[in-house]
Amino acid sequence: MEKKLTKGIKTRELILDKAREVFNEEGIFLTINEFSRKIGMTSGRITNHFPTKEHLFVGLSEQYEAEMAEVTAAHQYGPDLTFGKLAALFSKVMDVQ
């Protein structure tokens, strides 16, 4: 059964997606206020989901861990592992990052 995405869950995921983009481009030393201006969202809306920047980093870590688990679970390791299969795995890992 597919999980229903509520407005709050969608907003939380949007914040995490934007955080990954902004932090990859700008670095991690932005304040919540600077980050909110960059993504065009109020800081109150962000802190409703992530009270501190540390909470935002935990959310990013959880999202990244889930995505990496999904990528690695799709690959089988064993004697039939070829360079092509390994290269495909590394490509997907890089896409997550």
Side-chain angles (χ1 to χ4, degrees), residues 25-91:
E25 292 174 9
E26 307 275 336
I28 63 171
F29 298 106
L30 297 172
T31 65
I32 290 287
N33 286 332
E34 291 168 332
F35 171 66
S36 72
R37 281 193 296 276
K38 293 224 177 255
I39 68 168
M41 190 179 288
T42 66
S43 59
R45 192 167 179 201
I46 294 168
T47 57
N48 183 51
H49 296 277
F50 304 99
T52 66
K53 197 162 88 170
E54 289 77 13
H55 286 92
L56 182 57
F57 289 147
V58 168
L60 284 168
S61 297
E62 291 169 345
Q63 184 185 56
Y64 180 76
E65 183 179 339
E67 289 176 12
M68 287 301 295
E70 188 176 309
V71 166
T72 57
H75 288 277
Q76 296 183 358
Y77 304 94
D80 66 335
L81 183 63
T82 65
F83 180 76
K85 289 178 183 178
L86 194 57
L89 171 62
F90 288 158
S91 178

